[in-house]
Amino acid sequence: MTADMVAPAWMHSQITAEQYDSWSAEQCAGIEIVDGMVVVTPSASKRHNRLARILANGLDLAAGQDWNADTDFDVRLQDVPLTNRRPDVVVYRADTIDVAPTRPEHVLLIVEVVSPGSETTDRIVKADQYAKAGIAFYWRVEQAVTGVPVVYTYVLDPASGVYRDGDVCTGVIKTSLPFQLEIDLGAL
């Protein structure tokens, strides 16, 4: 093994919330922190990013003045060991726009767009983490081979702390939870 093949030291040990908070935005881009370990996330496709943007825009319009929907920022699920996820879309309380880090109590809904390589993480791992963090709604968007996305919605059961199945929408999301909305995803 040559010197340029050795992974940086931070890839071999857990980092703390304090260490992570001292990093620049550039250092935090393209990674998530799971149980204190840095997990590099690959760049998403243009289709993935467009889908996330359409969803964020539609959710933002439907959410009203109390909620914002946006993309590309961390949600701090826990401090010890540090777990930061960077969901594709987050609906969060508007009055927390300047609060960092964003925490589960600020969040109403998280949307993950499944990509090749993120199937298990988005379908199982993240859904479990978001439920345990108490986030009320989770949507998983599957990019079907037909090109028309399928959206699986989940609602947190507070008694059990797990998500129960909600609506399944193909092409057009039409739902009343967490608020009334209709988003056409067929026009990607």
Side-chain angles (χ1 to χ4, degrees):
M1 183 180 280
T2 64
D4 57 340
M5 293 174 64
V6 175
W10 55 260
M11 292 185 80
H12 298 288
S13 59
Q14 287 185 318
I15 64 165
T16 66
E18 294 77 24
Q19 288 170 309
Y20 184 78
D21 291 342
S22 73
W23 293 2
S24 69
E26 292 79 23
Q27 289 172 301
C28 297
I31 64 170
E32 292 181 321
I33 309 297
V34 180
D35 294 330
M37 302 302 290
V38 174
V39 177
V40 178
T41 56
S43 295
S45 69
K46 290 184 283 187
R47 175 174 293 279
H48 175 282
N49 289 343
R50 175 134 176 85
L51 189 51
R53 173 54 42 213
I54 289 169
L55 285 162
N57 289 345
L59 286 162
D60 202 48
L61 281 172
Q65 63 183 7
D66 293 335
W67 300 96
N68 294 335
D70 219 329
T71 62
D72 200 31
F73 64 90
D74 289 343
V75 175
R76 171 98 26 111
L77 298 179
Q78 65 185 35
D79 288 314
V80 180
L82 178 60
T83 299
N84 276 357
R85 289 294 189 178
R86 191 170 285 233
D88 294 312
V89 180
V90 180
V91 176
Y92 62 94
R93 287 192 351 242
D95 63 354
T96 65
I97 193 167
D98 293 318
V99 176
T102 298
R103 298 201 177 266
E105 59 267 23
H106 305 148
V107 176
L108 177 66
L109 164 69
I110 285 183
V111 180
E112 293 288 0
V113 178
V114 178
S115 296
S118 75
E119 294 95 341
T120 301
T121 302
D122 290 341
R123 292 176 186 153
I124 299 168
V125 176
K126 287 183 179 181
D128 181 61
Q129 288 176 334
Y130 297 149
K132 285 181 178 166
I135 295 167
F137 299 93
Y138 177 63
W139 292 4
R140 188 184 81 241
V141 182
E142 299 279 346
Q143 301 183 69
V145 291
T146 61
V148 180
V150 179
V151 180
Y152 297 87
T153 69
Y154 302 92
V155 179
L156 184 64
D157 177 354
S160 65
V162 298
Y163 288 118
R164 60 180 164 75
D165 293 345
D167 298 325
V168 177
C169 307
T170 302
V172 176
I173 303 169
K174 192 171 186 175
T175 186
S176 60
L177 292 175
F179 27 72
Q180 197 73 36
L181 68 99
E182 185 171 334
I183 304 172
D184 184 2
L185 300 177
L188 265 175

